[in-house]
């Protein structure tokens, strides 16, 4: 990234219906000094920047070394030789990177890195549930804190949840914290005649729970050839109407495999995916409104620059050694079952 012109060329095709996802040349001029400074600091400090697909496109296409979904970024964190990992996403993702790299410095630059799913459950609740259901294998979504991962048996992501739940040898499973994903797993097991009992907690993602089946019906009237892609965190009635149910990376792969000059796509997830696809596929036809995560979108180039230059104590991820040990066990079980 050497000029404002290059940055603008990467971002100019994004046309998601939100001013935060629109890039003029003037806006790129304002952003570029942070880009230039971050790239210099990254080289000086041997830092790796991992960005989730939901953060602002200017982060993804200017400073990120890797961009993707939770599972892909966890693998990148596991394999890095960098001394510092900067993770513009949300707090639990930076914690996952620290769990996989306990000796490295991991920085969370987000001033508001919460998550309605991660915040919906605490350790005391999980321990109480384990007492009530001692025969169940406890499976936690990656959208949980390190402390929650430490008191569960296996971690999963949206890209591998169905595969892992199917492969777990136990026929009694408790899934947490996402109620809607839990319901979708139940439906998957039933449809595939897999005889397992699956219980679930009641948390939800505030972005994904807002999508409605009626939205799909209305758009298909106007766009009969519409391809609908739904995230597993959506409601079951939404998932049932989708052409494909996939993680964020899965959506990108699906669109690339099925795109043509006329096919419209509806992406039922955070609109960072729409931005990525438009940036990488000019002319792609996307329909539907933009749903933005206030937590992911709290990341900014300025915040990344300040955190990399001189991180505040609360931006440097620290995890108790016992919590780290057992959370790592949960994540390593995910890698084992996901193979």
């Amino acid at each position: 990234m050497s000029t404002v012109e290059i940055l603008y060329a990467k971002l100019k095709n994004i046309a998601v219906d939100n001013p935060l996802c629109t890039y003029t040349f003037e806006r790129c001029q304002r952003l570029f000094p942070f880009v230039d400074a971050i790239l210099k600091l990254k080289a000086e400090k041997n830092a790796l920047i991992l960005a989730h697909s939901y953060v602002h496109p200017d982060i993804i296409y200017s400073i990120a070394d890797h961009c993707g979904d939770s599972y892909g970024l966890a693998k990148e964190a596991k394999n890095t030789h960098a001394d510092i990992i900067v993770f513009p996403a949300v707090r639990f993702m930076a914690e996952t990177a620290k769990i996989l790299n306990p000796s490295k410095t991991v920085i969370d630059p987000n001033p508001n890195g919460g998550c309605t799913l991660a915040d919906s459950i605490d350790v005391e609740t999980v321990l109480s549930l384990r007492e009530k259901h001692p025969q169940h294998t406890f499976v936690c979504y990656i959208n949980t804190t390190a402390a929650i991962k430490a008191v569960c048996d296996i971690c999963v992501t949206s890209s591998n949840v169905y595969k892992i739940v199917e492969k777990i040898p136990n026929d009694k499973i408790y899934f947490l914290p996402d109620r809607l994903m839990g319901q979708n797993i139940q439906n998957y097991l039933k449809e595939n005649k897999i005889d397992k009992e699956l219980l679930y907690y009641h948390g939800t993602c505030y972005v994904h729970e807002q999508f409605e089946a009626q939205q799909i019906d209305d758009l298909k009237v106007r766009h009969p050839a519409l391809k609908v892609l739904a995230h597993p965190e959506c409601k079951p009635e939404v998932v049932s109407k989708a052409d494909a149910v996939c993680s964020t990376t899965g959506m990108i792969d699906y669109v690339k495999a099925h795109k043509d000059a006329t096919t419209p796509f509806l992406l039922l997830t955070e609109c960072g995916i729409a931005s990525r696809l438009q940036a990488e596929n000019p002319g792609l036809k996307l329909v539907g409104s933009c749903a933005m995560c206030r937590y992911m979108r709290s990341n900014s180039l300025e915040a990344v620059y300040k955190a990399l230059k001189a991180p505040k104590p609360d931006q440097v991820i620290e995890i108790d050694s016992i919590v780290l040990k057992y959370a790592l066990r949960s994540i390593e079980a995910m890698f084992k079952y996901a193979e």
Side-chain angles (χ1 to χ4, degrees), residues 78-79 108 148 229 252 254 271:
K78 182 180 180 182
N79 296 329
D108 172 17
I148 296 297
L229 309 184
I252 292 172
Y254 184 97
C271 66

Side-chain angles (χ1 to χ4, degrees), residues 36-192:
D36 193 45
I38 291 167
L39 293 179
K40 289 176 181 176
L41 283 171
K42 187 169 69 166
E44 291 171 6
K45 298 190 174 189
N46 188 28
L48 178 80
I49 298 180
L50 303 177
H52 194 275
S53 292
Y54 291 162
V55 303
H56 291 295
D58 50 75
I59 295 174
I60 293 171
Y61 292 107
S62 65
I63 62 167
D65 296 289
H66 301 283
C67 175
D69 60 15
S70 299
Y71 183 64
L73 294 176
K75 289 200 295 184
E76 295 295 346
K78 182 180 180 182
N79 296 329
T80 186
H81 295 291
D83 297 315
I84 298 171
I85 299 172
V86 184
F87 212 140
V90 286
R91 188 77 173 187
F92 72 79
M93 292 188 182
E95 286 187 344
T96 301
K98 182 65 176 181
I99 293 165
L100 294 168
N101 295 275
S103 64
K104 296 182 185 297
T105 299
V106 178
I107 297 171
D108 172 17
N110 193 335
N112 182 29
C115 170
T116 56
L117 273 177
D119 296 341
S120 70
I121 193 165
D122 56 35
V123 170
E124 290 73 21
T125 298
V126 178
L127 294 177
S128 176
L129 288 169
R130 296 203 71 137
E131 286 185 6
K132 293 177 183 177
H133 307 284
Q135 302 303 315
H136 287 65
T137 296
F138 272 68
V139 178
C140 64
Y141 192 24
I142 200 166
N143 295 40
T144 50
T145 64
I148 296 297
K149 292 180 177 71
V151 292
C152 289
D153 301 301
I154 302 171
C155 180
V156 297
T157 71
S158 58
S159 64
N160 61 32
V161 58
Y162 297 127
K163 179 179 181 179
I164 290 178
V165 167
E166 185 174 351
K167 289 177 72 174
I168 291 171
N170 194 358
D171 62 0
K172 296 182 183 296
I173 294 172
Y174 197 107
F175 176 77
L176 59 90
D178 193 328
R179 170 174 56 86
L180 300 179
M181 186 178 285
Q183 292 170 356
N184 289 324
I185 299 168
Q186 280 185 332
N187 291 339
Y188 171 85
L189 295 174
K190 183 178 179 180
E191 290 165 5
N192 289 273

